[in-house]
Amino acid sequence: MIGRVHARGSKRSETRAPTNSRQFGGETPTKKACFCRPIIPFVPALELTDTYRRVHLSRRFLGEGKRMATSTAVPKIRIAGGSFLVESRRTEEVFTPEDFTEQHQLIGQTAEEFALNEIVPNAEKIEHKDFSVTRDLLKKAGELGLSSVEIPEAYGGLEMDKVTAAVIADHIAKYAGFATTWGGHTGIGTLPLVYFGTAEQKKKYLPRLAAGEIVGAYALSESTSGSDAMNIRARAELSKDGKHYILNGEKMWITNAGFADLFTVFAKVDGEKFTAFLVEKNFPGFSVGAEEHKMGIRGSSTCPIILNDCKVPADNLLGEIGKGHLIAFNILNIGRFKLGAMCVGGGRMSLGNAIAYAKQRKAFGKVIADFGLVREKIANMAVLLYVGESLVYRTVALMDAALSEVDKAATDAARQTLKAIEEYAVECSIIKVWGSEMIDYIVDETLQIYAGYGFVEEYPAERAYRDARINRIFEGTNEINRLIITGFLLKRAMSGQLPLMPAIKKLMEEVLSGPSAGEEIEGALSEERKLVAQAKKLGLFAAGAATEKYMLAIQDQQEIMGAIADITIETYAMETAVLRAQKIAESVSSSDRGEAAAALPIAMTRVYLSQAMEKVESAARKVISAVAEGDMLRTQLAILRRLAKYEPFNTIELRRQIAQKMIERGKYTLA
Ligand SMILES: Cc1cc2nc3c(=O)[nH]c(=O)nc-3n(C[C@H](O)[C@H](O)[C@H](O)COP(=O)(O)OP(=O)(O)OC[C@H]3O[C@@H](n4cnc5c(N)ncnc54)[C@H](O)[C@@H]3O)c2cc1C
């Protein structure tokens, strides 16, 4: 289907005069446009395909009320969060996009077609804040079942796995202005209720949220506390008759606030106990301030809210008094992997645009797609998308495996759910940081390929560049998430939950006993797996040196915490890339044929490993140089060099091969 989209787009471009179809195509060319402007790629309106029609008509993916077996391909092996640093994984333990079931693919296709047919053609209206269009689209998404996969069936949802939720987030993210709205509604706007609501609360709100009839929002931040979320000033007092909580305060930057109906609002009961409340927009004393004038995602609504003696029925208290932080932070964990999935989807769209433009724009008598430095950018973008997809789906499947063990009938089901989500806090933060920095790279390089035309509003690169920037800020800034990554790992290590300290001790003994031949690794991608093992050792080595010097006071050494986070992020990304390529190679019976079948993912993996290894080495060097001096520093740097040594890949040639494939196909592909 998508192949047809591109085929049609390119055919049209050959036969027509250059058009200026602006950001999202399909619009009438302007006069100015005919003035020798390059054709910009655009997404033609699609006809309803069989898939789309079938799904649309059935209103649900399931047909006769049957549950979909979407989780069958997800390995059910429980793997401890953060354990990737100290253990190696087998390919059968990881989930990759190649493991998607037919149903995952069907849903992905539905989300994609919905985005291309319904969202993208309306982008200009949404960008100018015609929120009636947004609300209609949220309803349509609800009708298609795209907004309810995480809602229990009993409350009008489809109750499917998190892989499905990620597949939708990935494929719906074609226009960030709407994707942010949809993400805010289905994620942080709805999930607090799914996980922490009482049966009555769920019955009252969830079916309408699932259908997109009402819209959800999440109000945690305040003008004086964003990252420092526990420091909110909003207060809640129980009324004398015990029937209401009276909320006072303000909230800032609330996504969907301009048109949302139900807000999860955090306030401190009696000024002390951090608590969540379900607040309807019509409750007395609740009002919404003016829209913020934003740099990007202008199609989304972002407003402050004001709580002025706001009367909230006591029944609308969500979860337990004083336990609101459990809601706030665990919901953000889920928000983070979804943000990563959306960054992958947005990045794919951007790369498609970059390739299409590069194939048409001429300079020095050639199309710019023929230039090595343009090809290098295309290859780099594709490599990042490959790693991004791999990271998102590996992690989400881990969460699914943990959530599948929750006894939903148990009285402590909510606590079990929380534990399962929290288990992968490190991985979710990695996806958030990595994904948001990945998309910033992609939109930046896309803009560079468009060059002058990238800098003007009529072309898609400019908006994508602005839209992407927020991802490093919300759902916890990347600084805060880096601190979470290292802080969480160290906390687990100190409590003995994660055998990090024994692994560091073993490594120290190994490196101090002098050079060794190292671990023997055999089979497919053995060199690449060796490199991952080396990166892990570098991470352990740096963490060991830092913890030895600072012990628990390492928490105050933010730059070191940040560098250890960077090593951790890259190590997870490297291993994930290798495991996916290895799994593809192993899926073909003969190992020679396997590696040939996996040539593209292997090439991408090698390029990624090369750049990641440089980052790992540099971050480890930064840590060592900060914690050691004199002879000790020299010894440690010698060890570092030994651990970082490897025979480099010919990344120029690999990037050429990758770019060639992407340009031929006109989009990101592994085929
Ligand atoms: C478009 C948009 C939509 C949003 N949507 C929502 C929403 O729906 N609901 C909601 O509740 N909030 C929302 N937010 C708020 C968002 O979550 C916050 O902006 C974010 O958490 C950062 O808080 P802040 O802006 O107050 O920055 P600050 O916390 O003031 O941080 C400023 C800088 O200092 C750094 N910093 C802060 N603390 C530390 C530390 N301890 N160590 C090191 N560095 C630190 C930060 O990383 C950042 O670089 C939204 C914001 C925007 C812009």
Side-chain angles (χ1 to χ4, degrees), residues 188 218-228 252-256 294 297 300 302 470 473-480 483 558:
I188 55 179
Y218 171 95
L220 173 63
S221 304
E222 298 183 359
S223 57
T224 51
S225 61
S227 306
D228 190 9
M252 187 85 182
W253 304 297
I254 306 309
T255 299
N256 293 349
K294 303 190 296 272
I297 53 165
S300 70
T302 313
I470 185 61
I473 296 171
F474 58 19
E475 307 275 351
T477 64
N478 284 13
E479 291 74 28
I480 294 295
L483 295 175
Q558 285 203 345

mmCIF file of all heavy atoms in Angstrom, residues 188 218-228 252-256 294 297 300 302 470 473-480 483 558, ligand 1:
data_model
loop_
_atom_site.group_PDB
_atom_site.id
_atom_site.type_symbol
_atom_site.label_atom_id
_atom_site.label_comp_id
_atom_site.label_asym_id
_atom_site.label_seq_id
_atom_site.Cartn_x
_atom_site.Cartn_y
_atom_site.Cartn_z
ATOM 1 N N ILE A 188 -1.365 9.920 28.667
ATOM 2 C CA ILE A 188 -1.424 10.530 30.003
ATOM 3 C C ILE A 188 -2.825 11.026 30.365
ATOM 4 O O ILE A 188 -3.133 11.171 31.540
ATOM 5 C CB ILE A 188 -0.370 11.680 30.133
ATOM 6 C CG1 ILE A 188 -0.546 12.733 29.027
ATOM 7 C CG2 ILE A 188 1.036 11.126 30.130
ATOM 8 C CD1 ILE A 188 0.449 13.891 29.113
ATOM 9 N N TYR A 218 -3.818 15.799 31.198
ATOM 10 C CA TYR A 218 -3.044 15.444 32.404
ATOM 11 C C TYR A 218 -2.378 16.715 32.913
ATOM 12 O O TYR A 218 -1.585 17.330 32.190
ATOM 13 C CB TYR A 218 -2.038 14.402 31.968
ATOM 14 C CG TYR A 218 -0.952 13.980 32.923
ATOM 15 C CD1 TYR A 218 -1.123 12.851 33.729
ATOM 16 C CD2 TYR A 218 0.262 14.651 32.974
ATOM 17 C CE1 TYR A 218 -0.104 12.419 34.564
ATOM 18 C CE2 TYR A 218 1.278 14.222 33.801
ATOM 19 C CZ TYR A 218 1.099 13.107 34.593
ATOM 20 O OH TYR A 218 2.104 12.671 35.406
ATOM 21 N N ALA A 219 -2.722 17.111 34.128
ATOM 22 C CA ALA A 219 -2.259 18.418 34.612
ATOM 23 C C ALA A 219 -1.383 18.265 35.842
ATOM 24 O O ALA A 219 -1.872 18.211 36.980
ATOM 25 C CB ALA A 219 -3.467 19.301 34.904
ATOM 26 N N LEU A 220 -0.101 18.201 35.585
ATOM 27 C CA LEU A 220 0.869 18.067 36.677
ATOM 28 C C LEU A 220 1.688 19.356 36.816
ATOM 29 O O LEU A 220 1.794 19.929 37.900
ATOM 30 C CB LEU A 220 1.790 16.866 36.380
ATOM 31 C CG LEU A 220 2.988 16.642 37.303
ATOM 32 C CD1 LEU A 220 2.533 16.337 38.725
ATOM 33 C CD2 LEU A 220 3.848 15.473 36.790
ATOM 34 N N SER A 221 2.260 19.832 35.704
ATOM 35 C CA SER A 221 3.206 20.955 35.766
ATOM 36 C C SER A 221 2.543 22.254 36.228
ATOM 37 O O SER A 221 1.362 22.491 35.973
ATOM 38 C CB SER A 221 3.815 21.208 34.387
ATOM 39 O OG SER A 221 4.421 20.052 33.907
ATOM 40 N N GLU A 222 3.349 23.064 36.866
ATOM 41 C CA GLU A 222 2.905 24.411 37.270
ATOM 42 C C GLU A 222 3.978 25.402 36.852
ATOM 43 O O GLU A 222 5.109 25.008 36.533
ATOM 44 C CB GLU A 222 2.685 24.452 38.786
ATOM 45 C CG GLU A 222 1.589 23.488 39.221
ATOM 46 C CD GLU A 222 1.288 23.537 40.717
ATOM 47 O OE1 GLU A 222 1.948 24.321 41.441
ATOM 48 O OE2 GLU A 222 0.389 22.792 41.140
ATOM 49 N N SER A 223 3.617 26.680 36.931
ATOM 50 C CA SER A 223 4.579 27.685 36.448
ATOM 51 C C SER A 223 5.878 27.642 37.251
ATOM 52 O O SER A 223 6.945 27.968 36.737
ATOM 53 C CB SER A 223 3.956 29.074 36.510
ATOM 54 O OG SER A 223 3.536 29.336 37.832
ATOM 55 N N THR A 224 5.800 27.218 38.503
ATOM 56 C CA THR A 224 7.023 27.195 39.310
ATOM 57 C C THR A 224 7.565 25.780 39.508
ATOM 58 O O THR A 224 8.545 25.588 40.222
ATOM 59 C CB THR A 224 6.752 27.808 40.706
ATOM 60 O OG1 THR A 224 5.607 27.162 41.256
ATOM 61 C CG2 THR A 224 6.523 29.302 40.613
ATOM 62 N N SER A 225 6.936 24.787 38.924
ATOM 63 C CA SER A 225 7.451 23.424 39.079
ATOM 64 C C SER A 225 7.128 22.568 37.866
ATOM 65 O O SER A 225 5.981 22.173 37.667
ATOM 66 C CB SER A 225 6.866 22.762 40.329
ATOM 67 O OG SER A 225 5.468 22.687 40.220
ATOM 68 N N GLY A 226 8.157 22.345 37.047
ATOM 69 C CA GLY A 226 8.000 21.453 35.909
ATOM 70 C C GLY A 226 8.728 20.152 36.212
ATOM 71 O O GLY A 226 8.121 19.155 36.616
ATOM 72 N N SER A 227 10.060 20.196 36.098
ATOM 73 C CA SER A 227 10.842 19.001 36.442
ATOM 74 C C SER A 227 10.649 18.648 37.915
ATOM 75 O O SER A 227 10.537 17.478 38.285
ATOM 76 C CB SER A 227 12.331 19.267 36.205
ATOM 77 O OG SER A 227 12.548 19.706 34.902
ATOM 78 N N ASP A 228 10.598 19.664 38.735
ATOM 79 C CA ASP A 228 10.485 19.471 40.185
ATOM 80 C C ASP A 228 9.018 19.242 40.539
ATOM 81 O O ASP A 228 8.413 19.992 41.317
ATOM 82 C CB ASP A 228 11.027 20.763 40.849
ATOM 83 C CG ASP A 228 11.185 20.619 42.339
ATOM 84 O OD1 ASP A 228 11.046 19.489 42.835
ATOM 85 O OD2 ASP A 228 11.428 21.645 42.997
ATOM 86 N N MET A 252 0.198 24.576 34.380
ATOM 87 C CA MET A 252 0.800 25.273 33.235
ATOM 88 C C MET A 252 1.103 24.292 32.100
ATOM 89 O O MET A 252 1.448 23.151 32.373
ATOM 90 C CB MET A 252 2.111 25.888 33.764
ATOM 91 C CG MET A 252 2.830 26.778 32.822
ATOM 92 S SD MET A 252 2.157 28.438 32.924
ATOM 93 C CE MET A 252 3.139 29.234 31.682
ATOM 94 N N TRP A 253 1.018 24.748 30.882
ATOM 95 C CA TRP A 253 1.394 23.977 29.682
ATOM 96 C C TRP A 253 0.608 22.668 29.554
ATOM 97 O O TRP A 253 1.205 21.602 29.325
ATOM 98 C CB TRP A 253 2.883 23.608 29.693
ATOM 99 C CG TRP A 253 3.845 24.707 29.822
ATOM 100 C CD1 TRP A 253 4.027 25.718 28.953
ATOM 101 C CD2 TRP A 253 4.806 24.894 30.882
ATOM 102 N NE1 TRP A 253 5.033 26.532 29.400
ATOM 103 C CE2 TRP A 253 5.529 26.048 30.584
ATOM 104 C CE3 TRP A 253 5.116 24.187 32.050
ATOM 105 C CZ2 TRP A 253 6.533 26.533 31.390
ATOM 106 C CZ3 TRP A 253 6.122 24.649 32.863
ATOM 107 C CH2 TRP A 253 6.818 25.813 32.542
ATOM 108 N N ILE A 254 -0.686 22.708 29.731
ATOM 109 C CA ILE A 254 -1.437 21.446 29.725
ATOM 110 C C ILE A 254 -1.931 21.113 28.311
ATOM 111 O O ILE A 254 -2.753 21.833 27.730
ATOM 112 C CB ILE A 254 -2.612 21.501 30.734
ATOM 113 C CG1 ILE A 254 -2.068 21.898 32.117
ATOM 114 C CG2 ILE A 254 -3.363 20.178 30.779
ATOM 115 C CD1 ILE A 254 -0.884 21.072 32.622
ATOM 116 N N THR A 255 -1.401 19.998 27.802
ATOM 117 C CA THR A 255 -1.767 19.550 26.454
ATOM 118 C C THR A 255 -3.259 19.207 26.404
ATOM 119 O O THR A 255 -3.771 18.551 27.322
ATOM 120 C CB THR A 255 -0.917 18.317 26.074
ATOM 121 O OG1 THR A 255 0.446 18.704 26.095
ATOM 122 C CG2 THR A 255 -1.285 17.781 24.695
ATOM 123 N N ASN A 256 -3.920 19.632 25.372
ATOM 124 C CA ASN A 256 -5.361 19.407 25.118
ATOM 125 C C ASN A 256 -6.268 20.308 25.953
ATOM 126 O O ASN A 256 -7.504 20.225 25.834
ATOM 127 C CB ASN A 256 -5.807 17.939 25.362
ATOM 128 C CG ASN A 256 -5.194 16.983 24.367
ATOM 129 O OD1 ASN A 256 -4.602 17.422 23.389
ATOM 130 N ND2 ASN A 256 -5.323 15.694 24.609
ATOM 131 N N LYS A 294 3.217 28.799 20.553
ATOM 132 C CA LYS A 294 4.348 27.879 20.643
ATOM 133 C C LYS A 294 5.247 27.913 19.408
ATOM 134 O O LYS A 294 4.820 28.271 18.318
ATOM 135 C CB LYS A 294 3.830 26.445 20.830
ATOM 136 C CG LYS A 294 2.929 26.267 22.051
ATOM 137 C CD LYS A 294 2.652 24.804 22.310
ATOM 138 C CE LYS A 294 1.881 24.110 21.214
ATOM 139 N NZ LYS A 294 0.425 24.200 21.355
ATOM 140 N N ILE A 297 4.530 22.161 17.262
ATOM 141 C CA ILE A 297 3.256 21.457 17.530
ATOM 142 C C ILE A 297 2.108 22.465 17.726
ATOM 143 O O ILE A 297 1.340 22.368 18.676
ATOM 144 C CB ILE A 297 3.347 20.436 18.691
ATOM 145 C CG1 ILE A 297 3.915 21.034 19.976
ATOM 146 C CG2 ILE A 297 4.122 19.205 18.273
ATOM 147 C CD1 ILE A 297 3.679 20.139 21.221
ATOM 148 N N SER A 300 -1.536 21.478 18.281
ATOM 149 C CA SER A 300 -2.022 20.961 19.568
ATOM 150 C C SER A 300 -2.413 22.143 20.443
ATOM 151 O O SER A 300 -1.989 23.270 20.207
ATOM 152 C CB SER A 300 -0.938 20.137 20.256
ATOM 153 O OG SER A 300 0.108 20.973 20.699
ATOM 154 N N THR A 302 -2.235 23.966 24.053
ATOM 155 C CA THR A 302 -1.443 24.019 25.294
ATOM 156 C C THR A 302 -1.873 25.270 26.064
ATOM 157 O O THR A 302 -1.652 26.387 25.591
ATOM 158 C CB THR A 302 0.065 24.124 24.988
ATOM 159 O OG1 THR A 302 0.416 23.164 23.989
ATOM 160 C CG2 THR A 302 0.909 23.885 26.229
ATOM 161 N N ILE A 470 10.091 19.834 20.906
ATOM 162 C CA ILE A 470 9.442 19.673 22.215
ATOM 163 C C ILE A 470 9.762 18.322 22.856
ATOM 164 O O ILE A 470 9.748 18.168 24.074
ATOM 165 C CB ILE A 470 7.898 19.831 22.088
ATOM 166 C CG1 ILE A 470 7.212 19.791 23.465
ATOM 167 C CG2 ILE A 470 7.290 18.784 21.179
ATOM 168 C CD1 ILE A 470 7.605 20.850 24.410
ATOM 169 N N ILE A 473 11.828 18.040 25.772
ATOM 170 C CA ILE A 473 11.408 18.819 26.945
ATOM 171 C C ILE A 473 10.316 18.120 27.750
ATOM 172 O O ILE A 473 10.423 17.981 28.963
ATOM 173 C CB ILE A 473 10.924 20.220 26.499
ATOM 174 C CG1 ILE A 473 12.090 20.988 25.867
ATOM 175 C CG2 ILE A 473 10.338 21.000 27.677
ATOM 176 C CD1 ILE A 473 11.699 22.292 25.186
ATOM 177 N N PHE A 474 9.231 17.693 27.050
ATOM 178 C CA PHE A 474 8.154 17.120 27.887
ATOM 179 C C PHE A 474 8.345 15.629 28.147
ATOM 180 O O PHE A 474 9.278 15.034 27.687
ATOM 181 C CB PHE A 474 6.748 17.499 27.416
ATOM 182 C CG PHE A 474 6.311 17.150 26.014
ATOM 183 C CD1 PHE A 474 6.939 16.195 25.252
ATOM 184 C CD2 PHE A 474 5.202 17.805 25.475
ATOM 185 C CE1 PHE A 474 6.487 15.883 23.987
ATOM 186 C CE2 PHE A 474 4.730 17.501 24.213
ATOM 187 C CZ PHE A 474 5.379 16.542 23.473
ATOM 188 N N GLU A 475 7.476 15.104 28.984
ATOM 189 C CA GLU A 475 7.600 13.728 29.524
ATOM 190 C C GLU A 475 8.908 13.591 30.315
ATOM 191 O O GLU A 475 9.555 12.542 30.306
ATOM 192 C CB GLU A 475 7.544 12.666 28.412
ATOM 193 C CG GLU A 475 6.354 12.768 27.485
ATOM 194 C CD GLU A 475 5.100 12.073 27.997
ATOM 195 O OE1 GLU A 475 5.178 11.352 29.005
ATOM 196 O OE2 GLU A 475 4.036 12.288 27.394
ATOM 197 N N GLY A 476 9.294 14.654 30.987
ATOM 198 C CA GLY A 476 10.571 14.681 31.716
ATOM 199 C C GLY A 476 11.655 15.123 30.752
ATOM 200 O O GLY A 476 11.830 14.506 29.688
ATOM 201 N N THR A 477 12.348 16.213 31.086
ATOM 202 C CA THR A 477 13.388 16.681 30.159
ATOM 203 C C THR A 477 14.452 15.581 30.002
ATOM 204 O O THR A 477 14.541 14.673 30.833
ATOM 205 C CB THR A 477 14.088 17.950 30.694
ATOM 206 O OG1 THR A 477 14.776 17.608 31.899
ATOM 207 C CG2 THR A 477 13.113 19.086 30.945
ATOM 208 N N ASN A 478 15.247 15.706 28.961
ATOM 209 C CA ASN A 478 16.264 14.666 28.755
ATOM 210 C C ASN A 478 17.310 14.674 29.862
ATOM 211 O O ASN A 478 17.909 13.634 30.164
ATOM 212 C CB ASN A 478 16.895 14.814 27.365
ATOM 213 C CG ASN A 478 15.955 14.295 26.290
ATOM 214 O OD1 ASN A 478 14.775 14.057 26.554
ATOM 215 N ND2 ASN A 478 16.469 14.113 25.086
ATOM 216 N N GLU A 479 17.507 15.835 30.483
ATOM 217 C CA GLU A 479 18.445 15.873 31.618
ATOM 218 C C GLU A 479 17.870 15.033 32.768
ATOM 219 O O GLU A 479 18.555 14.205 33.359
ATOM 220 C CB GLU A 479 18.666 17.318 32.098
ATOM 221 C CG GLU A 479 19.433 18.208 31.134
ATOM 222 C CD GLU A 479 18.593 18.628 29.914
ATOM 223 O OE1 GLU A 479 17.358 18.705 30.032
ATOM 224 O OE2 GLU A 479 19.175 18.865 28.839
ATOM 225 N N ILE A 480 16.594 15.273 33.051
ATOM 226 C CA ILE A 480 15.954 14.532 34.151
ATOM 227 C C ILE A 480 15.949 13.038 33.825
ATOM 228 O O ILE A 480 16.237 12.194 34.679
ATOM 229 C CB ILE A 480 14.506 15.054 34.381
ATOM 230 C CG1 ILE A 480 14.556 16.502 34.893
ATOM 231 C CG2 ILE A 480 13.726 14.152 35.321
ATOM 232 C CD1 ILE A 480 15.174 16.716 36.253
ATOM 233 N N LEU A 483 19.257 11.475 34.448
ATOM 234 C CA LEU A 483 19.478 11.252 35.879
ATOM 235 C C LEU A 483 18.676 10.042 36.361
ATOM 236 O O LEU A 483 19.140 9.271 37.205
ATOM 237 C CB LEU A 483 19.091 12.506 36.688
ATOM 238 C CG LEU A 483 19.953 13.751 36.416
ATOM 239 C CD1 LEU A 483 19.410 14.968 37.159
ATOM 240 C CD2 LEU A 483 21.425 13.506 36.804
ATOM 241 N N GLN A 558 26.399 15.318 38.791
ATOM 242 C CA GLN A 558 25.464 15.147 37.678
ATOM 243 C C GLN A 558 26.144 14.878 36.341
ATOM 244 O O GLN A 558 25.636 14.116 35.525
ATOM 245 C CB GLN A 558 24.590 16.395 37.548
ATOM 246 C CG GLN A 558 23.532 16.490 38.612
ATOM 247 C CD GLN A 558 22.374 17.357 38.168
ATOM 248 O OE1 GLN A 558 22.460 18.095 37.198
ATOM 249 N NE2 GLN A 558 21.272 17.273 38.884
HETATM 250 C C1 LIG B 1 4.098 22.040 24.556
HETATM 251 C C2 LIG B 1 4.150 21.540 25.958
HETATM 252 C C3 LIG B 1 3.221 20.614 26.384
HETATM 253 C C4 LIG B 1 3.235 20.175 27.711
HETATM 254 N N1 LIG B 1 2.259 19.306 28.143
HETATM 255 C C5 LIG B 1 2.147 19.045 29.470
HETATM 256 C C6 LIG B 1 1.022 18.309 29.969
HETATM 257 O O1 LIG B 1 0.140 17.880 29.223
HETATM 258 N N2 LIG B 1 0.941 18.116 31.302
HETATM 259 C C7 LIG B 1 1.889 18.560 32.163
HETATM 260 O O2 LIG B 1 1.746 18.341 33.360
HETATM 261 N N3 LIG B 1 2.978 19.239 31.720
HETATM 262 C C8 LIG B 1 3.120 19.502 30.404
HETATM 263 N N4 LIG B 1 4.196 20.219 29.937
HETATM 264 C C9 LIG B 1 5.214 20.685 30.869
HETATM 265 C C10 LIG B 1 6.525 19.925 30.709
HETATM 266 O O3 LIG B 1 6.367 18.638 31.206
HETATM 267 C C11 LIG B 1 7.607 20.739 31.431
HETATM 268 O O4 LIG B 1 7.866 21.877 30.633
HETATM 269 C C12 LIG B 1 8.864 19.935 31.649
HETATM 270 O O5 LIG B 1 8.639 18.932 32.596
HETATM 271 C C13 LIG B 1 10.035 20.811 32.117
HETATM 272 O O6 LIG B 1 9.669 21.639 33.154
HETATM 273 P P1 LIG B 1 10.013 23.197 33.108
HETATM 274 O O7 LIG B 1 9.606 23.691 31.791
HETATM 275 O O8 LIG B 1 9.439 23.816 34.300
HETATM 276 O O9 LIG B 1 11.596 23.260 33.172
HETATM 277 P P2 LIG B 1 12.490 23.322 34.484
HETATM 278 O O10 LIG B 1 12.112 22.228 35.386
HETATM 279 O O11 LIG B 1 12.489 24.694 35.017
HETATM 280 O O12 LIG B 1 13.916 23.016 33.868
HETATM 281 C C14 LIG B 1 14.696 24.003 33.216
HETATM 282 C C15 LIG B 1 16.022 23.371 32.785
HETATM 283 O O13 LIG B 1 16.719 22.912 33.956
HETATM 284 C C16 LIG B 1 16.972 21.526 33.872
HETATM 285 N N5 LIG B 1 16.791 20.930 35.184
HETATM 286 C C17 LIG B 1 15.729 21.040 36.019
HETATM 287 N N6 LIG B 1 15.927 20.336 37.121
HETATM 288 C C18 LIG B 1 17.134 19.739 37.004
HETATM 289 C C19 LIG B 1 17.908 18.880 37.816
HETATM 290 N N7 LIG B 1 17.460 18.413 38.969
HETATM 291 N N8 LIG B 1 19.096 18.503 37.373
HETATM 292 C C20 LIG B 1 19.574 18.912 36.169
HETATM 293 N N9 LIG B 1 18.895 19.720 35.359
HETATM 294 C C21 LIG B 1 17.686 20.125 35.767
HETATM 295 C C22 LIG B 1 15.925 20.989 32.886
HETATM 296 O O14 LIG B 1 16.354 19.796 32.282
HETATM 297 C C23 LIG B 1 15.826 22.140 31.904
HETATM 298 O O15 LIG B 1 16.854 22.069 30.968
HETATM 299 C C24 LIG B 1 4.224 20.639 28.608
HETATM 300 C C25 LIG B 1 5.176 21.560 28.153
HETATM 301 C C26 LIG B 1 5.144 22.022 26.860
HETATM 302 C C27 LIG B 1 6.142 23.046 26.431
#
